[in-house]
Amino acid sequence: NAGVTQTPKFQVLKTGQSMTLQCAQDMNHEYMSWYRQDPGMGLRLIHYSVGAGITDQGEVPNGYNVSRSTTEDFPLRLLSAAPSQTSVYFCASSSRTSGGAETQYFGPGTRLLVL
Amino acid sequence: AQTVTQSQPEMSVQEAETVTLSCTYDTSESDYYLFWYKQPPSRQMILVIRQEAYKQQNATENRFSVNFQKAAKSFSLKISDSQLGDAAMYFCAYSPPLVFGKGTRLSVIA
């Protein structure tokens, strides 16, 4: 199993550009989520999905869109990039949609720089 | 909303010694889960240890153990026999939903 994969590893954008960060998992996990990590802030939840066709907002959803058309993929779209979105983005997945004991499997992260 | 607080931005420990990282959290729930994640310079998030709130017994994983004080809402991580490879950022987390503290950077001195 590849686990959770993310592409690209690093991206530079200009203000106003749009792009999609890709996330895929091959563990048949129902739950997937996106976090951003900023210096001194820990990880903050952007959006999450409890299964195909179902998504919801996390703590910092503004400026981001998600969709979940398949169990395997959970792309994160930046509609109009802003310098405040410069961050490291992590995708994670876990096996159950209820409770909270599930171990989150994290991808390697995407470093995004918005100029 | 649940919050997680790590009051030590940085800690250091001598190789082979023991260090304790602090974490407190705030919740009105009675059933929840607590985690410690390690993030080395590679940025990969690695689960270190997990604790179920309904279990009174403290979780242990080899050199890693926790001191879970439910009434005090405290969840500290003890690393015994520290090794150079333990140097990393450590994040305390609460679930559900999964909320992280701001992290403690641990340095290990040879």
Side-chain angles (χ1 to χ4, degrees), chain B residues 43 56-57 71 74 78 85 105:
Chain B
R43 287 205 308 258
Q56 293 187 346
Q57 185 174 6
S74 170
K78 185 171 82 170
R105 182 176 300 280

Side-chain angles (χ1 to χ4, degrees), chain A residues 35 37 40 90 100-101 106, chain B residues 33 39 43-44 50 91 95 102:
Chain A
Y35 293 86
Q37 183 178 25
F90 287 95
F106 284 85
Chain B
Y33 303 86
Q39 186 181 43
R43 287 205 308 258
Q44 184 69 41
R50 180 177 72 192
F91 293 96
S95 177
K102 294 184 178 182

Side-chain angles (χ1 to χ4, degrees), chain A residues 9 35 37 40-45 88 90 99-104 106-111, chain B residues 33 35 37 39 42-47 50 52 89 91 95-103:
Chain A
K9 286 189 171 62
Y35 293 86
Q37 183 178 25
M41 294 296 292
L43 278 78
R44 292 183 291 170
L45 181 64
V88 179
F90 287 95
E102 304 82 13
T103 298
Q104 297 284 331
F106 284 85
T110 293
R111 184 165 163 244
Chain B
Y33 303 86
F35 305 83
Y37 279 89
Q39 186 181 43
S42 66
R43 287 205 308 258
Q44 184 69 41
M45 295 292 287
I46 303 165
L47 178 66
R50 180 177 72 192
E52 292 89 342
M89 283 290 289
F91 293 96
S95 177
L98 191 61
V99 176
F100 288 86
K102 294 184 178 182

Side-chain angles (χ1 to χ4, degrees), chain B residues 6-42:
Chain B
Q6 293 179 249
S7 60
Q8 306 152 316
E10 296 184 356
M11 293 280 288
S12 62
V13 62
Q14 292 280 349
E15 199 176 3
E17 296 296 310
T18 296
V19 65
T20 298
L21 308 184
S22 301
C23 173
T24 58
Y25 57 94
D26 186 26
T27 184
S28 58
E29 304 294 331
S30 58
D31 289 330
Y32 51 87
Y33 303 86
L34 298 164
F35 305 83
W36 279 97
Y37 279 89
K38 172 184 178 181
Q39 186 181 43
S42 66

Side-chain angles (χ1 to χ4, degrees), chain A residues 20-37:
Chain A
T20 299
L21 279 62
Q22 301 292 345
C23 175
Q25 51 91 9
D26 60 0
M27 298 173 281
N28 202 31
H29 285 170
E30 299 96 334
Y31 187 91
M32 296 185 74
S33 53
W34 277 101
Y35 293 86
R36 61 177 288 173
Q37 183 178 25

